Amino acid sequence: MPEETEAIVLRSVRYGEADAVLALYTPDRGRVSAIAKGARRPKSKLAAAAQPGVRVAATLHPGRGELARFGGATLLEPNAGIWARADRLRAAGAILESAYRVLPEEDPSPEAYTLLTRALGLLSRAQEHPGAADLHPIVLSVRAKLIVVSGLLPELGRCASCGGGGPLVAFGAGAGGALCPDCAGLGQPADPAAIDGFAQLVGRPLSEAFDALAASNAAVVDVMIAEVLEHGLGVRLGRPSSKVLGRTGRAVRDSPAG
Ligand SMILES: [Zn+2]
């Protein structure tokens, strides 16, 4: 049976002469793959709906193999503002790649769908962020919330090892989160302000991401989030990977950090 669904296009990979294999995030099925036949022909009706970062309504026709066919697509939200500026485009690439790698296939999370919908909408009108995409407040906020959706939230309010109230001066994903001076050897030293910044990103809405995280803490929060994802899921973000909004991991890494 063909299936009508909303979806966010996470990724589009060239396939054959003119087709694209899409990774979609849907509210009811989670992450699914589908083939968009002819989508890379300039006049294809599917071309606009097969771009990473857009939200669409589409029909998924069961395919002969495992891959469904993507058809009858209409744009619900093009998030056009993302393409208006390079910093937004790089941040969108980082968000879509995070979602692709963190959210498992065929495992629906309505919270994740709402998170991505809101994040791309906010990003398409976000203020300028001159630093690296991995340190963009909206990117880090999305990653912090993906950790929550994945059930991996570390302890950030007291010592994860002894339960003591702090100060919290270190962080270890394997130890369960933030650590007090007595237990600091179980993790790596971390600025208490950065640990608090991580907690703020988890607790405050996406729309407050720029206020929740001081730029000076972003790099440490990025490392803590990366540790949690690697320890919990074996996922390493930010490595060169296949095309997400046409960027490469290298391009992001090479952008100025300040
Ligand atoms: Zn402790």
Side-chain angles (χ1 to χ4, degrees), residues 159 161-162 180 183:
C159 177
S161 180
C162 72
C180 76
C183 305

Side-chain angles (χ1 to χ4, degrees), residues 20-250:
V21 174
L22 306 181
L24 305 169
Y25 199 80
T26 68
D28 298 330
R29 284 177 58 197
R31 179 161 68 80
V32 296
S33 300
I35 186 159
K37 294 269 190 191
R40 286 169 41 235
R41 289 198 185 96
K43 289 184 179 167
S44 167
K45 285 180 188 161
L46 288 182
Q51 294 296 321
V54 303
R55 191 162 64 89
V56 297
T59 308
L60 299 180
H61 303 271
R64 253 174 264 142
E66 294 211 340
L67 217 50
R69 186 171 59 78
F70 178 84
T74 53
L75 272 178
L76 296 176
E77 178 53 69
N79 291 317
I82 288 173
W83 278 267
R85 278 219 322 258
D87 65 320
R88 291 182 188 160
L89 194 61
R90 286 195 302 266
I95 287 170
L96 297 173
E97 185 195 2
S98 305
Y100 178 81
R101 301 196 45 202
V102 169
L103 298 168
E105 239 180 326
E106 300 275 357
D107 184 5
S109 163
E111 296 99 319
Y113 186 78
T114 304
L115 172 65
L116 293 173
T117 302
R118 288 203 183 130
L120 294 167
L122 281 169
L123 192 60
S124 66
R125 50 184 192 278
Q127 66 196 71
E128 189 168 9
H129 177 78
D134 286 324
L135 305 185
H136 193 291
I138 296 177
V139 173
L140 287 170
S141 184
V142 167
R143 288 179 177 166
K145 290 172 191 304
L146 284 171
I147 282 175
V148 177
V149 167
S150 304
L152 297 173
L153 180 63
E155 179 62 69
L156 297 169
R158 59 200 168 108
C159 177
S161 180
C162 72
L168 300 168
V169 298
F171 183 86
L179 297 161
C180 76
D182 290 342
C183 305
L186 298 171
Q188 298 293 321
D191 189 330
I195 294 171
D196 184 59
F198 190 174
Q200 298 282 328
L201 283 184
V202 168
R204 291 174 66 174
L206 267 179
S207 57
E208 296 175 12
F210 276 91
D211 298 328
L213 185 70
S216 55
N217 294 328
V220 177
V221 171
D222 179 39
V223 170
M224 289 190 281
I225 288 174
E227 244 189 77
V228 172
L229 289 172
E230 183 157 10
H231 181 264
L233 298 173
V235 167
R236 289 178 71 182
L237 296 176
R239 295 151 96 200
S241 65
S242 53
K243 295 170 189 64
V244 181
L245 294 178
R247 75 154 175 90
T248 66
R250 185 180 170 82

